[in-house]
């Protein structure tokens, strides 16, 4: 029952989609600092390279950059086959973090953006998981299953912002889809859980923070934005032996934002 056997992630092989910046980078930093080998992937390979160089300078674990586009079949299949080749003995954790958003009034919200949001935030999550199931299955045991961690959002639990129709729908979908995946994958010794972050200072939040930083901060009863350690800690927990009995769960990391109903 010592802390490292409960929450240690040293030596684990972890894939973080969208690990180049934002929450994905915060999560990857937490794992690399604690001795894991982390593959990060996004469309912008240069950004991935820079982030990997930064994380590799921290010592402990290792970060490997791969270019990938999770908005379409070919991009997902090509990334998954690289992982299967690079890690023939399998992987421990897949963190589906890559995501996009779009905010626009109800009468002009474009179908092209609606479709892109669903492709990356929902379809991409499902098919990347599907393609990496064989790799996850190799390392999962009944005692200590492999893990899929899906980064949802409090936008999938409550209406926290106006004009986020497709984004809200995508995040509610991923939460519910994760439960269906959890049921299907239990027999393969793979657990599936969601993290539902509140507001963190990333590029995705840049416009909202520029428009009303104080309002966003005040929307959380804990009166601050999420910090890198807040999101890294919950992902480390969900990847560690200590959470082996959790599947189909959604953990909110939102400073209490969803306790209140006002937007
Ligand atoms: N920030 C928040 O407050 C907040 C709150 C709740 C939930 N979330 C969720 O957290 C996740 C990360 O968001 P973030 O705030 O860190 O946003 P971000 O800073 O915009 O980062 C998004 C990441 O996803 C990658 N990405 C986007 N589209 C991609 C695609 N088609 N293929 C491959 N990679 C792609 C981006 O890299 P490229 O552009 O190089 O592809 C980037 O690495 C998202 O799922 C988001 O919905 C964020």
């Amino acid at each position: 029952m010592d802390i490292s056997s409960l929450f240690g992630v040293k030596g684990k092989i972890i894939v973080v989609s969208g690990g180049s910046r934002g929450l994905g980078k915060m999560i990857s930093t937490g794992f690399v600092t604690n001795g894991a080998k982390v593959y990060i992937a996004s469309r912008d390979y240069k950004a991935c390279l820079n982030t990997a160089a930064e994380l590799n300078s921290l010592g402990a674990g290792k970060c490997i950059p791969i270019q990938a586009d999770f908005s379409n079949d070919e991009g997902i299949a090509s990334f998954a086959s690289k992982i299967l080749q690079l890690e023939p003995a399998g992987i421990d954790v897949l963190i589906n973090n890559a995501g996009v958003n779009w905010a626009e009034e109800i009468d002009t919200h474009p179908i092209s953006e609606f479709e892109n949001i669903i492709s990356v935030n929902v379809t991409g999550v499902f098919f990347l998981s599907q393609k990496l199931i064989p790799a996850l299955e190799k390392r999962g045991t009944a005692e200590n299953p492999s893990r899929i961690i899906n980064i949802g959002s409090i936008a999938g639990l409550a209406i926290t912002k106006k004009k986020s129709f497709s984004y809200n729908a995508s995040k509610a979908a991923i939460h519910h889809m994760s439960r269906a995946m959890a049921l299907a994958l239990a027999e393969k010794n793979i657990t599936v859980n969601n993290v539902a972050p509140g507001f963190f200072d990333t590029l995705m939040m840049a416009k909202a923070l520029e428009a009303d930083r104080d309002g966003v901060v005040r929307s959380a009863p804990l009166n601050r934005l999420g910090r890198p350690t807040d999101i890294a800690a919950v992902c480390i927990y969900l990847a560690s032996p200590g959470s082996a009995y959790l599947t189909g769960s959604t953990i909110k990391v939102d400073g209490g934002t969803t306790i209140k109903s006002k937007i």
Side-chain angles (χ1 to χ4, degrees):
M1 272 250 192
D2 65 293
I3 203 90
S4 64
S5 66
L6 282 176
F7 303 120
V9 291
K10 192 172 178 189
K12 287 200 180 291
I13 301 172
I14 299 181
V15 171
V16 181
S17 76
S20 61
R21 64 169 192 258
L23 292 189
K25 182 177 174 185
M26 299 172 195
I27 294 164
S28 302
T29 306
F31 282 109
V32 171
T33 311
N34 287 286
K37 180 177 181 185
V38 180
Y39 289 91
I40 58 169
S42 86
R43 290 165 300 179
D44 182 347
Y45 183 58
K46 206 168 160 211
C48 290
L49 264 178
N50 290 339
T51 295
E54 193 183 322
L55 299 201
N56 282 324
S57 74
L58 300 172
K62 197 171 172 196
C63 183
I64 299 139
I66 297 183
Q67 196 278 336
D69 185 348
F70 301 115
S71 67
N72 60 71
D73 277 5
E74 306 82 65
I76 293 168
S78 132
F79 174 74
S81 74
K82 280 181 198 150
I83 294 291
L84 295 172
Q85 242 172 22
L86 288 164
E87 296 297 343
I91 64 168
D92 297 289
V93 183
L94 166 64
I95 304 185
N96 284 304
N97 160 80
V100 282
N101 74 346
W102 190 265
E104 190 161 337
E105 296 296 346
I106 196 163
D107 42 4
T108 54
H109 196 99
I111 191 163
S112 55
E113 292 305 334
F114 203 107
E115 285 175 350
N116 184 45
I117 300 281
I118 299 299
S119 308
V120 180
N121 295 7
V122 185
T123 318
V125 169
F126 182 80
F127 287 101
L128 181 58
S129 305
Q130 181 196 64
K131 301 255 173 328
L132 290 180
I133 286 168
L136 288 158
E137 223 180 335
K138 282 187 181 154
R139 286 173 76 99
T141 62
E143 197 56 36
N144 191 18
S146 292
R147 318 291 166 90
I148 296 176
I149 302 169
N150 291 331
I151 305 300
S153 171
I154 56 168
L157 302 169
I159 307 302
T160 55
K161 278 194 234 151
K162 290 174 183 160
K163 305 193 289 185
S164 285
F165 307 100
S166 47
Y167 184 74
N168 286 343
S170 75
K171 292 300 178 177
I174 191 182
H175 292 166
H176 205 46
M177 184 175 81
S178 298
R179 290 191 277 271
M181 288 168 63
L183 193 58
L185 294 177
E187 65 187 23
K188 294 184 188 289
N189 295 325
I190 302 170
T191 65
V192 187
N193 292 291
N194 294 302
V195 176
F199 301 123
F200 285 70
D201 195 347
T202 68
L203 191 60
M204 187 179 279
M205 280 295 293
K207 269 191 194 160
L209 290 172
E210 202 181 297
D212 182 15
R213 191 177 184 96
D214 284 353
V216 175
V217 167
R218 277 197 313 272
S219 71
L222 292 178
N223 206 34
R224 66 169 174 84
L225 298 175
R227 294 181 187 132
T229 46
D230 297 322
I231 192 74
V234 77
C235 290
I236 287 172
Y237 167 62
L238 286 175
S240 70
S243 66
Y245 198 50
L246 255 80
T247 197
S249 295
T250 298
I251 302 182
K252 291 189 282 178
V253 190
D254 71 344
T257 299
T258 45
I259 298 168
K260 305 195 293 186
S261 60
K262 190 176 174 293
I263 57 169

